Amino acid sequence: MTHLNSLDAELAQELGDLTDDDLHVAFTPKECRTLQPSLPEEGVELDPHVRDCVQTYTREWLIVNRKNQGSSEFCSFKKTGSRRDFHKTLQKQTFESETLECSEPATQTGPRRLNVLCDVSGKGPLTTCDFDLRSLQPDERLENLLQLVSAEDFEKKKEEARKTNRQAEIFALYPSVDEEDAVEIRPVPECPKEHLGNRILVKVLTLKFEIEIEPLFASIALYDVKERKKISENFHCDLNSDQFKGFLRAHTPSVDPSSQARSAVFSVTYPSSDIYLVVKIEKVLQQGEIADCAEPYMVIKESDGGKSKEKVEKLKLQAESFCQRLGKYRMPFAWAPISLASFFSVSTLERESTDVEPVVGRNSVGERRSLSQSRRPSERSLSLEENGVGSNFKATTLATNIFFKQEGDRLSDEDLFKFLADYKRSSSLQRRVKSIPGSLRLEISPAPDVVNCCLTPEMLPVKPFPENRTRPHKEVLEFPIREVYVPHTVYRISRVQRKAVSAIHSLLSSHDLDPRCLKPEVKVKIAALYLPLVGIILDALPQLYDFTVADARGGKSRASGSYEEQDVANGINQNVALAIAGNHLNLKMSGSMLSSLPYKQYNMLNADTTRHLMICFLWIMKNADQALIRRWIADLPSMQLNRILDLLFICVSCFEYKGKQSSDKVSNQVLQKSRDVKAKLEEALLRGEGARGEMMRRRTPGNDRFPGLSENLRWRKEQTQWRQANEKLDKTKAELDQEALISGNLATEANLIILDMQENIIQASSALDCKDSLLGGVLRVLVNSLSCDQSTTYLTHCFATLRALIAKFGDLLFEEEVEQCADLCQRVLHHCSSSMDVTRSQACATLYLLMRFSFGATGNFARVKMQVTMALASLVGKAPDFNEEHLRRSLRTILAYSEEDTAMQTTPFPNQVEELLCNLNSILYDTVKMREFQEDPEMLMDLMYRIAKSYQASPDLRLTWLQNMAEKHTKKKCFTEAAMCLVHAAALVAEYLSMLEDHSYLPVGSVSFQNISSNVLEESAVSDDTLSPDEDGVCSGRYFTESGLVGLLEQAAELFSTGGLYETVNEVYKLVIPILEAHRDFRKLTSTHDKLQKAFDNIINKDHKRMFGTYFRVGFYGSRFGDLDEQEFVYKEPAITKLPEISHRLEGFYGQCFGAEFVEVIKDSTPVDKTKLDPNKAYIQITFVEPYFDEYEMKDRVTYFEKNFNLRRFMYTTPFTLEGRPRGELHEQHRRNTVLTTMHAFPYIKTRIRVIQKEEFVLTPIEVAIEDMKKKTLQLAVATHQEPPDAKMLQMVLQGSVGATVNQGPLEVAQVFLAEIPADPKLYRHHNKLRLCFKEFIMRCGEAVEKNRRLITAEQREYQQELKKNYNKLRDSLRPMIERKIPELYKPIFRIDSQKRDSFHRSSFRKCETQLSQGS
């Protein structure tokens, strides 16, 4: 009571009082298994001590129950009633997450109208609001926000508001510690009962040998080979026939019924796979050695007849003689081992030979080893699930036909254990030890709970025992391999840290819930006792589970040793000893006194243990003297203050509200796993060492072997509302609501305590020199709390603290804490989209104050503008609970604050605010539209492109959206487009780096990227509204550095390589290598050149095997498409995409948008006449297109890659006749070639690009023939010169060229267009062109036939001869037409005088031209 000496006598008396009726006494009669208890005969005078011992076995049990002993919930609450009704006193906390879950989105009935946006790459960024903010009604503004109030009054009001309606007992909101985590377990003891191990019933069915000449006697016992111990007494069994029993009648005048037993019940407390059932056979003592007596059984077979039968009869007479003389004496004969591994083994069980203590206190069930590996022998029992003893282990008959002859010099148990060990390891024992043929059949089964007509080892009948039963069962006495204890109080000490935390938790919980400690002045004194714990927790900070790491939710977040592996052996620090003795917070001592405790830095605490420790820390901070806390903070060095803030940061995430719906979302897998773990822990408790395990098993509900079981084993935790999460699926809605109410109040109270602590730090650190470093830590904790699911109660107080922080430390906030300020903007803006009016109102006031003080500190708020704009982009792009309507209303509310702020009206601030809000509104309009097009990948990318385009003047945001586009493309496996997005991002960075730095090794802006893509020039920073990178807040991201540029380019190179564009990888690294060389980064240069080598190898090995994109022209027609009506695009689809595939995809998607009956795909590629279309329908025309190049382009596009890269022009053909039919005879077949030009070149940062130009060329029938023959000739040339040669491809092309059965083949074309010279002189040149085409064609055919001759095998010679024959025939048929020339085409244009021919040599070209002109 040293620490409580300042309390008055009344309070001290209250603390010392005990409650009434703490003890309850009852008598219970002892249970007896047998018909009569085992007592000395009546009338026999006993020693007093013996008499007292006998009475302890017969008199009733005296049971004393202490109601409150060991209970963490000392008694029911005086004020609030029982814990069961405690929730009725709590105030319901409102969380936005639950309001969002309750509100169902409006369902759409019928097809929706698609507000399709066209490609807007030609448009500039939006400069006006698409929606007038002033038409909205603003939210209610906070009173006195803009009025001047003294800092003292403001702080006082804040503190009073925070302390209103607070929860007094925080442990009343916190779940109790699980019994497996408790240091001490005191279950209500069951009355002690006789120990029974795991029991099996063994029945001896038959025992026979090859000859039957004498009575034989069997005895059965159990042996544990691993422990080298006999673990049961012998069970003697007589299976002799009446004839052989007659041999011994002189020595057995009477036979007790108990000796007639042929079945026995064996008990095994410590099951093992090393247990053997050993059957020993004895016979009546005879003259001679054992080997001599056993030899007849080994060499004689009674079934042989003849002399063998005579020998058997002689031996039988000798045996009868021995029985009459020596019938009382026995001699060893044979033995047989039977392994019980299949009955006593667990599949994962292999018993350790290390020290295994039978008392739980010496070997906890929770050791680090898994349950299947660390369970003690008592836990390896015959369970239904593990051993198959129940449903899987039924009565099993075992038989053996080999007995080992007993050796006369090896009769001890030690010899037997050696034999059994050899028998287990190897089957060679049978060859080394002489065996006796025979037959033994046993039946083994699990012993039922009640065995009728059974005798105990003391030969006492067990209930029930029918009188008419002649052959009883016998229970065989067990010899356990070690002692069996029955402890009542169980201490688990092997994991010190976890148990110590649990003990502290139990103590503080008892204090908090003790009605004698309700008064605050008492709790202040008690909290002072535990102040040293704060220093311990601070030193243990690196060991705490980090709830803030996203991937640590399912495990430890730090790679270090576990607390389960190590125990803390350090002694108590002197400072702690002083604190416990009374000097609990000596302010004259060093400020770091509480955090100087020795502690092992490698013992990690798991999530539950950390959470228990955190609730203890918060209880101390809540109940300790706040003035003392502030003085302590003021004396701490800055490093310790930052550690406190780190601890508070973890606390915020530790007590984050998870919501009542989370229980319904627990997956079955997690649920089952959790239940399995709990079941194993419970099983480990129930199957404790020996009698303790037996005692606990008797309390297990559903155990029919032990009636009247208790339910107190689990500390009645199942009767409270604080059950574990893995049981939540079994709860009713009322229980879930009740849990949500309690956990919501816990989260609120915990965060308010954290907020109180931060306020103490802010107040105490105002006079410190380190306040600038502390500010960042405080802000980090506040931002973390805003990122968690919080109640409106907490958010109201949190935003008030934030506004005070902004007003008090605004200059430091905007100058020193740039990153924290950016995070703060994002979290506050997020809450501006809240559906809760009160939260939205608080967030709007805070954001406006942030802008106002930023303007006051710097004269403008450019940085906050940028941060808020980036926050909005991140919010609408990623936040799942974002609400456009609420955010617009918040923007309107901020605008209202600006309009009502009279003190700022004379400054540019209001106009800047309005400009920012207008821009935010425009961005909001664009980004929200993305949600409508999540199912349309092309439209979604168009919209993202438009948003990125609108950020042309904001490089940071444009870079962000380009990266977002790259991420979307990567998810769709459009690796080339993703790479292009990163190339554009790198070009953007290069543009701004060139403004900041003048280095020759850096790219000169986007112009340096032209070899990668001609589209990249759009990243040039040449517009009037381009911001300088020197401006505040511009290009402040980590990518606007040389390392950021290299990172973007390296990512792009990887994606190009994945997409198969290896040539582009080379171009990308051409920009990277100079930077790496300038920085002497030889390690990266090595890696870069390795990647280049792989790229070049791939070009060599995969050139023509690579498959690039397939292209389609898609036209949209109909008013339902909105802006897309009559727009045409070129779509890039994956390689080998067929027309039906893209047609099915687009028809399906737009069918969902408009209704399938309103969507129609136009099958042909003819021009669409809109007048003939149904105005109520949406029409899609899809046509396959190919890249188109002029002849001069083809000179530069030599490789396969070059013919599939940087594509802007595409062509598709439409066949037609003048009569309107699509197909006709050769002389009437026309063709329309349509060439499309796209706005950008493929590949681009999108997979579809709008068509900006269309050209049509109509070919006459002879022009069609010329084009077809050119194509055939080119195919022949390619197939002939392909390396390595492809005989199949060559033969296929040849067959289509010189085959005899080709319809409308080359011969027919020649006969139609070359048989006669055309009458129309306009066709002369076409005629001659076609003639020259055929001339080259027949030449290529000859080359191909000759090439095929060199490639064919012997079996294809006939085929080659046929090809040669067809070729000769085609050549002879074409020769007259090919050689016929049109004379008019070869007439000279002017006549040259032969006498003047030498003038070309004598005169200049100018003179020649004059002479020619004169001659003409």
Side-chain angles (χ1 to χ4, degrees):
M1 302 294 286
T2 304
H3 290 280
L4 305 177
N5 54 12
S6 60
L7 295 175
D8 56 36
E10 182 181 349
L11 289 177
Q13 183 65 33
E14 281 187 30
L15 279 175
D17 282 347
L18 291 174
T19 58
D20 298 332
D21 301 327
D22 187 49
L23 300 181
H24 178 265
V25 180
F27 290 92
T28 301
K30 289 188 176 178
E31 183 179 323
C32 183
R33 291 180 62 234
T34 57
L35 296 177
Q36 297 294 333
S38 179
L39 296 174
E41 296 180 2
E42 294 184 4
V44 178
E45 186 164 349
L46 302 174
D47 181 89
H49 177 69
V50 174
R51 185 177 62 249
D52 291 341
C53 291
V54 170
Q55 288 179 358
T56 60
Y57 284 95
T58 57
R59 67 189 176 200
E60 295 180 326
W61 294 111
L62 175 64
I63 300 176
V64 179
N65 288 326
R66 293 173 173 84
K67 291 183 178 179
N68 298 308
Q69 182 175 356
S71 172
S72 61
E73 302 167 30
F74 185 74
C75 60
S76 60
F77 299 122
K78 279 186 177 180
K79 290 184 178 180
T80 59
S82 67
R83 171 166 277 197
R84 182 178 297 275
D85 298 327
F86 168 67
H87 67 280
K88 297 179 180 178
T89 66
L90 297 177
Q91 176 185 354
K92 179 173 174 56
Q93 300 294 334
T94 305
F95 291 85
E96 185 171 6
S97 59
E98 293 181 349
T99 62
L100 291 173
E101 289 168 352
C102 295
S103 60
E104 296 184 0
T107 57
Q108 176 181 316
T109 58
R112 61 183 175 91
R113 179 178 177 84
L114 191 68
N115 296 321
V116 182
L117 296 175
C118 66
D119 185 274
V120 292
S121 52
K123 299 181 181 180
L126 297 175
T127 56
T128 59
C129 290
D130 293 277
F131 192 88
D132 188 4
L133 287 177
R134 286 189 170 82
S135 64
L136 292 175
Q137 183 66 30
D139 287 326
E140 184 177 351
R141 270 81 73 203
L142 296 185
E143 296 182 3
N144 304 324
L145 177 68
L146 304 176
Q147 294 183 4
L148 293 176
V149 182
S150 66
E152 293 77 10
D153 291 343
F154 186 61
E155 294 292 341
K156 186 176 180 181
K157 289 182 180 179
K158 276 198 308 172
E159 186 173 359
E160 290 176 355
R162 283 200 315 275
K163 294 190 179 302
T164 305
N165 296 326
R166 293 285 288 271
Q167 178 61 37
E169 300 91 4
I170 191 172
F171 277 100
L173 306 170
Y174 191 75
S176 302
V177 177
D178 268 351
E179 57 267 29
E180 59 264 24
D181 289 332
V183 177
E184 179 186 37
I185 300 179
R186 289 192 183 182
V188 177
E190 187 74 12
C191 295
K193 297 181 181 180
E194 182 180 354
H195 166 64
L196 296 176
N198 304 279
R199 310 205 305 167
I200 58 172
L201 179 62
V202 179
K203 296 181 181 179
V204 184
L205 302 179
T206 59
L207 174 63
K208 291 184 179 181
F209 289 90
E210 289 292 335
I211 57 176
E212 296 185 356
I213 59 176
E214 60 188 328
L216 298 174
F217 310 96
S219 65
I220 303 175
L222 299 183
Y223 292 82
D224 192 321
V225 178
K226 194 78 172 280
E227 297 290 336
R228 302 182 68 84
K229 288 186 178 181
K230 182 179 182 181
I231 61 174
S232 77
E233 66 175 351
N234 290 334
F235 166 59
H236 295 277
C237 181
D238 186 355
L239 282 85
N240 292 303
S241 64
D242 291 339
Q243 177 189 2
F244 292 131
K245 288 179 180 178
F247 287 7
L248 300 170
R249 192 164 287 118
H251 303 286
T252 55
S254 63
V255 179
D256 190 272
S258 64
S259 65
Q260 301 300 306
R262 294 186 179 179
S263 58
V265 177
F266 289 89
S267 177
V268 180
T269 299
Y270 302 94
S272 166
S273 59
D274 300 304
I275 294 178
Y276 280 81
L277 185 148
V278 177
V279 181
K280 292 184 178 180
I281 310 298
E282 295 178 330
K283 56 189 291 185
V284 174
L285 181 63
Q286 297 180 11
Q287 183 178 357
E289 295 293 333
I290 296 176
D292 298 333
C293 297
E295 185 176 359
Y297 288 89
M298 302 167 66
V299 298
I300 301 175
K301 290 186 178 181
E302 192 170 357
S303 59
D304 291 346
K307 292 184 179 181
S308 296
K309 193 170 185 179
E310 292 177 1
K311 291 181 180 179
V312 169
E313 290 299 328
K314 183 179 178 181
L315 290 171
K316 191 179 295 185
L317 291 174
Q318 292 177 356
E320 185 176 4
S321 173
F322 283 121
C323 287
Q324 290 174 355
R325 290 188 295 114
L326 303 171
K328 293 182 179 180
Y329 305 100
R330 305 284 184 265
M331 67 180 294
F333 172 50
W335 65 282
I338 297 176
S339 173
L340 299 182
S342 59
F343 307 113
F344 286 121
S345 66
V346 181
S347 60
T348 59
L349 173 64
E350 189 62 37
R351 184 173 57 177
E352 296 84 1
S353 59
T354 56
D355 295 338
V356 182
E357 297 293 339
V359 180
V360 175
R362 305 281 290 277
N363 188 5
S364 170
V365 298
E367 291 186 0
R368 188 175 185 272
R369 295 170 298 177
S370 64
L371 288 173
S372 62
Q373 294 175 332
S374 65
R375 290 166 54 187
R376 296 179 301 278
S378 64
E379 297 164 19
R380 300 163 191 170
S381 58
L382 291 170
S383 68
L384 296 180
E385 276 52 280
E386 293 181 348
N387 300 315
V389 176
S391 58
N392 296 328
F393 173 27
K394 304 187 185 302
T396 303
T397 301
L398 299 178
T400 182
N401 55 8
I402 295 178
F403 290 83
F404 297 117
K405 180 174 67 67
Q406 186 70 64
E407 303 291 339
D409 57 345
R410 297 181 180 180
L411 299 178
S412 67
D413 281 350
E414 284 300 317
D415 295 321
L416 177 62
F417 284 123
K418 292 179 181 178
F419 274 121
L420 290 175
D422 291 341
Y423 178 78
K424 181 179 180 181
R425 286 194 299 267
S426 172
S427 60
S428 62
L429 182 66
Q430 299 180 23
R431 295 192 295 270
R432 292 188 286 107
V433 180
K434 293 182 179 180
S435 60
I436 303 172
S439 174
L440 173 67
R441 291 177 63 244
L442 303 176
E443 182 185 275
I444 303 179
S445 62
D449 293 337
V450 177
V451 181
N452 290 324
C453 195
C454 188
L455 298 174
T456 66
E458 296 84 11
M459 298 301 168
L460 295 176
V462 179
K463 302 174 186 176
F465 194 89
E467 296 180 359
N468 56 355
R469 178 70 182 259
T470 58
R471 198 183 297 277
H473 305 286
K474 288 182 68 175
E475 290 183 350
V476 180
L477 183 64
E478 180 188 8
F479 304 148
I481 59 176
R482 55 182 60 85
E483 296 83 357
V484 178
Y485 297 114
V486 186
H488 165 48
T489 302
V490 179
Y491 295 95
R492 297 185 291 178
I493 58 173
S494 61
R495 291 175 293 178
V496 176
Q497 288 176 320
R498 182 174 181 180
K499 303 312 170 188
V501 171
S502 179
I504 291 291
H505 174 275
S506 299
L507 287 170
L508 292 183
S509 177
S510 299
H511 297 319
D512 199 32
L513 305 179
D514 192 334
R516 300 169 299 176
C517 303
L518 287 176
K519 295 182 178 180
E521 55 268 31
V522 176
K523 286 191 176 180
V524 166
K525 294 295 182 180
I526 295 175
L529 291 171
Y530 294 93
L531 281 173
L533 179 63
V534 177
I536 296 174
I537 296 174
L538 288 177
D539 278 341
L541 185 64
Q543 302 166 250
L544 301 182
Y545 183 91
D546 190 354
F547 297 91
T548 64
V549 180
D551 59 356
R553 298 282 179 183
K556 296 181 180 65
S557 61
R558 300 183 179 97
S560 181
S562 168
Y563 68 92
E564 297 176 351
E565 300 173 1
Q566 303 289 339
D567 289 337
V568 177
N570 302 67
I572 297 180
N573 183 275
Q574 182 65 26
N575 291 331
V576 179
L578 289 174
I580 295 175
N583 188 9
H584 56 270
L585 201 62
N586 189 348
L587 297 178
K588 295 181 180 179
M589 303 176 76
S590 170
S592 60
M593 180 271 291
L594 291 182
S595 57
S596 59
L597 306 180
Y599 211 78
K600 291 188 177 180
Q601 298 300 319
Y602 47 82
N603 298 338
M604 303 303 301
L605 301 181
N606 66 6
D608 290 337
T609 306
T610 301
R611 193 175 286 110
H612 297 334
L613 199 57
M614 293 298 96
I615 196 68
C616 295
F617 167 73
L618 292 182
W619 186 89
I620 297 172
M621 292 297 99
K622 173 183 174 66
N623 293 287
D625 185 355
Q626 298 302 303
L628 181 66
I629 293 293
R630 282 192 285 272
R631 293 200 303 274
W632 169 58
I633 291 173
D635 286 350
L636 285 178
S638 61
M639 183 181 72
Q640 291 302 105
L641 286 175
N642 282 304
R643 297 190 80 178
I644 293 177
L645 290 170
D646 290 340
L647 184 62
L648 296 178
F649 187 89
I650 295 175
C651 279
V652 169
S653 300
C654 175
F655 295 102
E656 181 180 0
Y657 180 66
K658 301 301 181 184
K660 65 180 179 182
Q661 297 299 328
S662 63
S663 59
D664 297 331
K665 299 173 183 176
V666 178
S667 67
N668 291 334
Q669 181 180 2
V670 175
L671 173 69
Q672 188 59 42
K673 179 179 178 182
S674 182
R675 283 178 172 168
D676 290 345
V677 171
K678 191 174 260 317
K680 287 180 179 179
L681 287 171
E682 187 174 21
E683 176 190 351
L685 272 178
L686 294 179
R687 292 183 180 168
E689 294 292 328
R692 175 186 64 84
E694 186 63 41
M695 177 194 74
M696 291 190 172
R697 280 196 292 278
R698 291 172 182 171
R699 302 192 193 112
T700 306
N703 194 336
D704 297 331
R705 288 173 57 187
F706 309 104
L709 301 180
S710 170
E711 297 178 355
N712 293 323
L713 175 64
R714 307 277 311 277
W715 295 6
R716 297 187 181 273
K717 189 174 180 182
E718 67 276 9
Q719 298 177 10
T720 71
Q721 63 265 37
W722 290 274
R723 283 180 279 180
Q724 295 299 305
N726 61 355
E727 301 171 357
K728 287 187 175 179
L729 289 185
D730 300 329
K731 297 179 181 177
T732 64
K733 183 179 183 301
E735 288 177 314
L736 291 175
D737 290 342
Q738 181 176 322
E739 275 197 354
L741 175 64
I742 295 174
S743 59
N745 275 271
L746 173 64
T748 300
E749 181 60 30
N751 278 279
L752 286 175
I753 297 173
I754 296 169
L755 193 61
D756 290 338
M757 193 64 185
Q758 290 179 91
E759 288 282 359
N760 286 334
I761 293 175
I762 293 171
Q763 293 181 30
S765 63
S766 298
L768 298 179
D769 296 333
C770 60
K771 62 182 178 182
D772 51 345
S773 63
L774 290 179
L775 177 62
V778 172
L779 201 58
R780 194 168 66 95
V781 178
L782 290 172
V783 170
N784 185 31
S785 70
L786 289 177
S787 66
C788 298
D789 192 9
Q790 301 285 6
S791 66
T792 55
T793 301
Y794 170 76
L795 289 174
T796 300
H797 299 301
C798 180
F799 280 121
T801 299
L802 271 173
R803 290 193 295 272
L805 202 64
I806 293 169
K808 194 170 186 178
F809 301 107
D811 52 345
L812 287 175
L813 176 66
F814 302 120
E815 293 297 327
E816 304 294 335
E817 300 298 332
V818 178
E819 285 191 29
Q820 298 293 351
C821 189
D823 293 339
L824 177 62
C825 288
Q826 183 168 343
R827 299 319 312 169
V828 174
L829 193 67
H830 175 82
H831 285 288
C832 285
S833 68
S834 170
S835 60
M836 312 300 297
D837 294 346
V838 60
T839 301
R840 209 164 54 243
S841 178
Q842 292 285 338
C844 290
T846 306
L847 187 57
Y848 177 74
L849 219 60
L850 191 67
M851 297 178 186
R852 191 178 192 269
F853 277 90
S854 174
F855 180 86
T858 60
N860 66 73
F861 61 109
R863 178 176 292 165
V864 173
K865 280 183 184 178
M866 179 61 67
Q867 290 167 342
V868 172
T869 306
M870 295 182 71
L872 178 66
S874 175
L875 174 66
V876 297
K878 298 179 181 179
D881 53 349
F882 162 72
N883 185 288
E884 174 191 5
E885 179 185 352
H886 295 149
L887 186 52
R888 287 190 190 282
R889 185 177 292 274
S890 292
L891 296 180
R892 177 65 183 94
T893 305
I894 296 173
L895 183 61
Y897 275 123
S898 173
E899 294 170 344
E900 296 168 2
D901 193 350
T902 55
M904 303 296 291
Q905 295 305 314
T906 58
T907 68
F909 178 69
N911 291 333
Q912 291 185 20
V913 171
E914 184 174 1
E915 179 184 352
L916 171 63
L917 296 177
C918 184
N919 188 34
L920 294 177
N921 192 38
S922 300
I923 296 171
L924 179 61
Y925 176 83
D926 287 341
T927 50
V928 167
K929 284 296 179 184
M930 288 175 55
R931 297 186 179 183
E932 300 182 16
F933 305 107
Q934 291 297 322
E935 302 302 322
D936 184 356
E938 288 81 17
M939 189 61 69
L940 180 62
M941 296 311 299
D942 276 351
L943 196 51
M944 294 183 75
Y945 175 85
R946 167 176 169 166
I947 296 169
K949 190 72 175 177
S950 68
Y951 290 135
Q952 195 83 38
S954 303
D956 301 83
L957 292 175
R958 177 163 175 78
L959 179 65
T960 299
W961 277 96
L962 286 170
Q963 289 176 308
N964 290 344
M965 293 177 70
E967 184 180 350
K968 289 283 186 184
H969 281 307
T970 304
K971 288 181 180 178
K972 291 167 48 188
K973 298 186 178 180
C974 298
F975 301 111
T976 302
E977 285 68 30
M980 283 299 180
C981 289
L982 295 179
V983 167
H984 278 247
L988 179 66
V989 171
E991 282 287 327
Y992 284 87
L993 280 182
S994 65
M995 298 182 192
L996 290 171
E997 304 175 10
D998 184 17
H999 296 305
S1000 59
Y1001 58 82
L1002 288 176
V1004 188
S1006 60
V1007 70
S1008 302
F1009 291 73
Q1010 285 189 96
N1011 287 344
I1012 302 176
S1013 172
S1014 59
N1015 304 313
V1016 82
L1017 287 176
E1018 64 187 39
E1019 303 302 332
S1020 299
V1022 295
S1023 62
D1024 295 335
D1025 54 355
T1026 298
L1027 296 176
S1028 169
D1030 295 325
E1031 284 194 37
D1032 198 14
V1034 178
C1035 301
S1036 57
R1038 61 189 177 95
Y1039 288 102
F1040 286 92
T1041 60
E1042 292 183 13
S1043 61
L1045 174 63
V1046 171
L1048 290 170
L1049 288 171
E1050 287 178 335
Q1051 291 180 57
E1054 290 293 332
L1055 289 168
F1056 276 133
S1057 181
T1058 306
L1061 273 70
Y1062 307 114
E1063 291 83 352
T1064 317
V1065 173
N1066 180 37
E1067 297 297 333
V1068 172
Y1069 281 128
K1070 284 180 181 178
L1071 300 175
V1072 174
I1073 289 174
I1075 303 176
L1076 299 180
E1077 290 175 343
H1079 289 277
R1080 278 76 170 175
D1081 194 341
F1082 301 110
R1083 189 179 301 277
K1084 270 199 171 183
L1085 281 169
T1086 302
S1087 172
T1088 299
H1089 285 288
D1090 285 342
K1091 292 174 182 177
L1092 278 172
Q1093 180 183 357
K1094 292 178 182 178
F1096 294 140
D1097 288 341
N1098 284 323
I1099 294 173
I1100 296 170
N1101 299 326
K1102 300 182 180 180
D1103 189 28
H1104 284 278
K1105 296 178 182 178
R1106 286 185 286 174
M1107 294 180 291
F1108 298 104
T1110 306
Y1111 298 91
F1112 297 91
R1113 165 216 172 236
V1114 180
F1116 298 95
Y1117 305 94
S1119 58
R1120 286 182 177 270
F1121 284 113
D1123 293 339
L1124 280 185
D1125 185 19
E1126 297 190 62
Q1127 294 288 330
E1128 293 184 6
F1129 297 87
V1130 172
Y1131 278 61
K1132 181 190 174 190
E1133 294 292 305
I1136 323 181
T1137 300
K1138 302 298 182 184
L1139 183 62
E1141 294 179 50
I1142 182 174
S1143 177
H1144 177 74
R1145 178 170 71 86
L1146 294 180
E1147 184 178 12
F1149 171 72
Y1150 288 106
Q1152 291 179 349
C1153 296
F1154 307 135
E1157 68 276 13
F1158 296 106
V1159 177
E1160 185 175 327
V1161 176
I1162 301 174
K1163 303 296 184 183
D1164 55 56
S1165 58
T1166 57
V1168 176
D1169 186 355
K1170 281 203 67 176
T1171 60
K1172 297 180 180 180
L1173 301 180
D1174 186 343
N1176 295 320
K1177 286 189 175 184
Y1179 294 88
I1180 308 173
Q1181 188 180 42
I1182 307 173
T1183 312
F1184 172 75
V1185 296
E1186 293 181 299
Y1188 174 79
F1189 309 106
D1190 290 326
E1191 290 187 8
Y1192 71 90
E1193 282 187 272
M1194 290 300 293
K1195 296 177 182 178
D1196 296 325
R1197 294 182 181 265
V1198 178
T1199 66
Y1200 183 62
F1201 165 78
E1202 290 165 349
K1203 294 174 183 177
N1204 287 274
F1205 188 78
N1206 198 23
L1207 309 176
R1208 284 195 65 191
R1209 302 177 76 194
F1210 301 86
M1211 186 183 77
Y1212 65 93
T1213 61
T1214 309
F1216 69 97
T1217 64
L1218 297 179
E1219 290 77 15
R1221 291 177 287 111
R1223 300 287 180 182
E1225 297 296 330
L1226 286 174
H1227 66 276
E1228 57 185 7
Q1229 184 67 63
H1230 290 69
R1231 182 184 295 168
R1232 181 183 295 107
N1233 287 355
T1234 306
V1235 178
L1236 307 175
T1237 304
T1238 56
M1239 177 176 287
H1240 301 283
F1242 284 100
Y1244 187 43
I1245 61 177
K1246 301 190 299 176
T1247 55
R1248 79 170 180 185
I1249 305 178
R1250 187 162 62 91
V1251 174
I1252 58 172
Q1253 184 178 349
K1254 179 189 290 188
E1255 301 172 82
E1256 291 185 351
F1257 306 93
V1258 177
L1259 303 183
T1260 62
I1262 191 170
E1263 290 175 318
V1264 173
I1266 292 171
E1267 196 171 81
D1268 289 344
M1269 290 311 299
K1270 282 185 176 180
K1271 193 171 184 181
K1272 280 184 178 294
T1273 304
L1274 180 62
Q1275 290 175 349
L1276 278 167
V1278 170
T1280 304
H1281 297 95
Q1282 182 174 338
E1283 290 295 337
D1286 188 340
K1288 289 185 178 180
M1289 177 63 70
L1290 179 63
Q1291 291 167 10
M1292 185 175 67
V1293 177
L1294 264 176
Q1295 189 64 33
S1297 300
V1298 302
T1301 59
V1302 179
N1303 287 330
Q1304 293 192 345
L1307 182 58
E1308 185 179 354
V1309 173
Q1311 290 171 345
V1312 170
F1313 296 106
L1314 297 180
E1316 298 179 1
I1317 296 176
D1320 187 355
K1322 296 179 181 179
L1323 298 179
Y1324 285 173
R1325 294 192 177 277
H1326 291 308
H1327 183 280
N1328 192 58
K1329 200 170 188 179
L1330 181 58
R1331 183 182 67 83
L1332 294 176
C1333 285
F1334 269 99
K1335 190 173 183 179
E1336 184 180 2
F1337 169 72
I1338 201 66
M1339 180 187 70
R1340 295 295 184 189
C1341 286
E1343 293 175 355
V1345 170
E1346 181 61 23
K1347 181 68 174 282
N1348 189 64
R1349 182 185 65 81
R1350 296 195 296 268
L1351 297 178
I1352 62 171
T1353 56
E1355 60 270 14
Q1356 289 183 311
R1357 287 178 180 174
E1358 289 188 18
Y1359 175 71
Q1360 171 65 17
Q1361 291 174 359
E1362 184 67 22
L1363 278 178
K1364 182 71 172 179
K1365 176 183 175 183
N1366 291 337
Y1367 163 70
N1368 290 333
K1369 184 178 179 180
L1370 176 64
R1371 183 190 59 189
D1372 294 341
S1373 301
L1374 290 176
R1375 180 178 289 126
M1377 293 178 280
I1378 293 176
E1379 294 178 352
R1380 182 188 300 124
K1381 299 181 180 179
I1382 303 177
E1384 287 78 0
L1385 290 177
Y1386 298 92
K1387 291 181 180 180
I1389 301 176
F1390 50 86
R1391 184 167 54 85
I1392 300 176
D1393 189 352
S1394 59
Q1395 296 179 356
K1396 300 180 180 179
R1397 273 182 101 76
D1398 293 338
S1399 62
F1400 283 99
H1401 302 280
R1402 297 192 305 268
S1403 307
S1404 66
F1405 284 104
R1406 182 182 301 273
K1407 185 175 182 181
C1408 178
E1409 290 173 0
T1410 306
Q1411 293 171 344
L1412 289 175
S1413 61
Q1414 291 175 351
S1416 61

